[in-house]
Every structure is written in C-alpha cells, then in structure tokens.
Amino acid sequence: MSPIIKRRGEEFTLPSKYLLFILTVLCTGMIIITFNTNLFTGPLNAFAGIFVVPFQKGITTVGTYLNETTDKLSSITQLLDENEKLKEQIDELTIANTTLEQEKYELTELRNLYQLDEQYEKYEKVGARIIAKDAGNWYNSFVIDKGSDDGLMIDMNVIADGALVGRIIDVGPDWAKVQSIIADNASVSGMVLASSDNLIVSGDLELYRQGFIRFSKLVDDVDRVRIGDKIVTSNISDKYLPGILIGYISTLDDDSNNLTKSGTITPAVDFEHMNIVLVLLDLKKNIQE
C-alpha cells in the first residue's frame, strides 16, 4: 500500500517503487555508516540494534533470495535448452531406428524372395513391389510396379511366401494388375499332393474372414485324403503352372451325392500382409506347347 503525503491541504500518493528505492538507499547508507564510522556506538548502539540491524538482515535476506532465484532461473533455462537438444536427438534416433527397421524388413523380404527363387528355380521370374490395392483388409486384387516393358503378360502366375498368390489379369507398360486366389470369382485347378486327387479351389472373401477358402469336386473313393494334406496347382490347370503350393486342407466333408467331397483350405500366403511378390514369366500355354 503506497503512503499518502499531505502538502498544504493537498494529498498525493507516493508510488511503492519510489518508496522501495528510498528505503534501499537509506539502508545502504546506514550499512556504510555502520561499517566505516563509530556513529552508532554508545547511546546510538541501541538505535542501530533496533532499526539498522533488522534492515541489514532484511536486505541480506532479499539479496540471498534474489540470488537463489536468479540461479534457479538460470538452471531452468539451461535445463530447457538441454531438453530441446535431447528432443532433437530423440527425433533423429527415431528416424534412424525407423530407417534401420525398414531396411531390416526389406532385407528379410529379399531373403524370402531368394529362397522362393530357389524353390521355383525351373521358372524364369522377376520381383515386383505392390503399389496399390483394392479397398479392404486383404490383397484380393492389387497393382504391382512391373509391366509389359519388363516382359509381363496376362495370365502370368504370381507367388509369395513360397506359394500361389494369383495371376495377372491386366497389364500396362510399367504396371500390372493381379487377381488373387481368394477373390470371389477366382478358381484354380488343384491337386492333393499326397494322393494326386484333383479338386477345384474357389475364392471366397466372406469365408476368408475366418482364414479359409473353399475346395470342391474332390473324388476320394478310398479315403486317402486327410486334413492337413498339402494342395498344389494341378497339371490340368489351363492358367496356372503345375506344382505351386496353394495351402492345406482344414476341413473335409462328404457331399450329398456321396460321390465327391468338399471343404476348406488354409492358404499358405498371408493375404493381409504382402509387400513384394515374384512373377513367373512362363505361361502355362507356352509350356504345354
């Protein structure tokens, strides 16, 4: 609260900052007088003890507080600067870590492709990256970054994860569209590898929600086929090269005609997570010729 000073019937308020300045100068002067003269010895010693010393203590306390506050502010500023630098380092490390993870993933993909290349070494092939796909969670139809300029043609087979993905249904100079075997209108002539019994594999997107596709028209008179048997593309397929893995029998049921069997297959390819595929450059009709 600022003091009120009266002068010839008038009054005005002395601002607090001026009062603080005056008191500071007064206290400083008293301190100088106290340390450099004997003014407050004897009778005035009591006055010094009552007034001067408390002022000195107050100034010392305030000075100490201001000094500590300044040190704290300096420390806070330094910590904030260090925090910003650490954030920048974390961002740089995050980017570097993401890059390493991506490189590791691509290296794994390339290793898988190399193993796949060895598995189907009798076929000429080219690797391609998926650049687009239809809406939905699965790669039932997608586009790759290779086309006719790379020798790709309609009906060429596409593989990944060591198994059949589908076939090319459209092609441009630097792109090609692939329809996978899980698509609703997809159909593949398959064969039970253990028994050489033929069957028809049909895509079913609704059923693939459970991880399966269908098969039908399996003739198994002596019950040789078992759950878990491997299904591959058959020799009689008109568009698919023979011996390419499709998946494994998961259910097996007798049809109502008691002549054939049907059921479901677990595909060997993960149609929810794909990035790179291999295109087999041989066409079935060329091999037949």
Side-chain angles (χ1 to χ4, degrees):
M1 180 177 181
S2 302
I4 300 175
I5 301 176
K6 294 183 179 180
R7 182 178 64 184
R8 293 182 181 181
E10 299 179 356
E11 62 180 33
F12 67 95
T13 303
L14 183 65
S16 299
K17 61 180 181 180
Y18 295 132
L19 178 60
L20 179 60
F21 176 72
I22 293 170
L23 290 175
T24 301
V25 172
L26 180 60
C27 292
T28 304
M30 288 182 176
I31 292 170
I32 294 172
I33 293 172
T34 300
F35 283 100
N36 295 281
T37 69
N38 296 323
L39 179 61
F40 292 107
T41 58
L44 295 178
N45 188 47
F47 174 80
I50 295 173
F51 294 101
V52 178
V53 173
F55 273 119
Q56 292 176 345
K57 289 182 178 179
I59 292 297
T60 301
T61 302
V62 171
T64 302
Y65 171 75
L66 291 176
N67 185 56
E68 291 177 351
T69 302
T70 302
D71 291 341
K72 289 180 180 178
L73 290 176
S74 178
S75 298
I76 291 173
T77 302
Q78 184 179 356
L79 288 173
L80 289 175
D81 291 340
E82 291 178 355
N83 187 49
E84 287 299 321
K85 292 179 181 179
L86 287 174
K87 284 183 178 179
E88 292 177 2
Q89 292 178 2
I90 290 173
D91 290 341
E92 292 174 358
L93 289 173
T94 300
I95 294 172
N97 185 55
T98 302
T99 302
L100 287 174
E101 288 182 353
Q102 180 65 26
E103 291 176 351
K104 179 182 177 182
Y105 174 77
E106 291 182 354
L107 179 60
T108 302
E109 289 285 322
L110 291 174
R111 285 175 176 171
N112 291 337
L113 285 179
Y114 178 74
Q115 293 175 356
L116 191 56
D117 182 64
E118 289 183 327
Q119 183 177 350
Y120 296 97
E121 61 181 354
K122 64 180 179 180
Y123 298 123
E124 186 180 356
K125 57 193 88 58
V126 62
R129 187 179 298 274
I130 297 173
I131 57 174
K133 75 180 187 69
D134 287 349
N137 296 328
W138 307 298
Y139 288 82
N140 54 294
S141 178
F142 57 88
V143 178
I144 57 177
D145 64 352
K146 297 290 176 63
S148 57
D149 290 346
D150 304 285
L152 272 57
M153 300 174 62
I154 291 176
D155 285 339
M156 283 185 172
N157 296 180
V158 179
I159 59 177
D161 296 335
L164 182 65
V165 171
R167 64 184 180 89
I168 294 176
I169 59 172
D170 196 6
V171 65
D174 57 358
W175 60 270
K177 187 174 184 180
V178 178
Q179 180 192 64
S180 70
I181 60 173
I182 66 171
D184 287 331
N185 58 342
S187 179
V188 184
S189 294
M191 178 182 71
V192 181
L193 187 61
S195 64
S196 297
D197 292 311
N198 293 314
L199 48 77
I200 301 296
V201 178
S202 304
D204 189 330
L205 286 177
E206 187 65 30
L207 182 61
Y208 190 71
R209 292 178 182 273
Q210 304 172 38
F212 308 116
I213 53 177
R214 300 186 185 279
F215 77 85
S216 59
K217 299 181 179 181
L218 168 65
V219 178
D220 181 27
D221 297 332
V222 293
D223 295 330
R224 293 178 297 180
V225 179
R226 299 285 184 271
I227 291 176
D229 280 353
K230 186 179 295 185
I231 305 299
V232 299
T233 51
S234 73
N235 294 320
I236 63 174
S237 175
D238 60 339
K239 295 180 179 180
Y240 290 96
L241 300 170
I244 302 175
L245 176 64
I246 297 175
Y248 306 88
I249 293 179
S250 51
T251 63
L252 183 63
D253 301 303
D254 292 323
D255 292 332
S256 57
N257 58 18
N258 292 321
L259 299 176
T260 58
K261 294 181 179 180
S262 59
T264 58
I265 295 172
T266 301
V269 174
D270 181 0
F271 287 94
E272 189 174 358
H273 306 95
M274 288 199 302
N275 186 37
I276 299 175
V277 296
L278 278 181
V279 180
L280 304 183
L281 299 180
D282 296 300
L283 284 171
K284 179 62 180 294
K285 62 181 180 181
N286 293 340
I287 293 178
Q288 290 175 333
E289 293 173 357

